Amino acid sequence: MLKTAAHKPGADGPPAGKGPLPKSDDSGGAVGFRVVGVGASAGGLEAFKGLMASLPADVGMAFILVQHLDPAHESLMVELLAGHTS
């Protein structure tokens, strides 16, 4: 199950994922780059694969994937998702 943070009344700007972002600031640099955090239990690898496979290559966002694992278990998530990302 994917969870999203609710927009708090009075917070600056539109809720996450809503509304246009500015293309650049006065110096010509990019602003408003979105970063998406997604967390899952140890069984969430298939959900991560499905998410990555459904996104366009030029989605314009960074995704941080966090998986809960036993501390004694070495993560292979990078290797397992490599074929599903660009």
Side-chain angles (χ1 to χ4, degrees), residues 34-65:
R34 293 184 184 196
V35 177
V36 179
V38 183
S41 65
L45 183 61
E46 290 303 316
F48 285 158
K49 287 180 182 179
L51 174 63
M52 295 293 105
S54 70
L55 296 171
D58 62 348
V59 71
M61 293 182 241
F63 287 83
I64 300 172
L65 304 178

Side-chain angles (χ1 to χ4, degrees), residues 3-85:
K3 294 182 180 181
T4 59
H7 181 66
K8 295 183 175 137
D12 291 342
K18 305 288 183 188
L21 292 174
K23 298 287 186 214
S24 65
D25 61 17
D26 290 339
S27 68
V31 295
F33 185 78
R34 293 184 184 196
V35 177
V36 179
V38 183
S41 65
L45 183 61
E46 290 303 316
F48 285 158
K49 287 180 182 179
L51 174 63
M52 295 293 105
S54 70
L55 296 171
D58 62 348
V59 71
M61 293 182 241
F63 287 83
I64 300 172
L65 304 178
V66 180
Q67 187 175 27
H68 178 265
L69 293 176
D70 182 298
H73 184 80
E74 184 177 338
S75 175
L76 298 174
M77 187 164 55
V78 172
E79 293 85 356
L80 296 172
L81 290 177
H84 300 276
T85 62

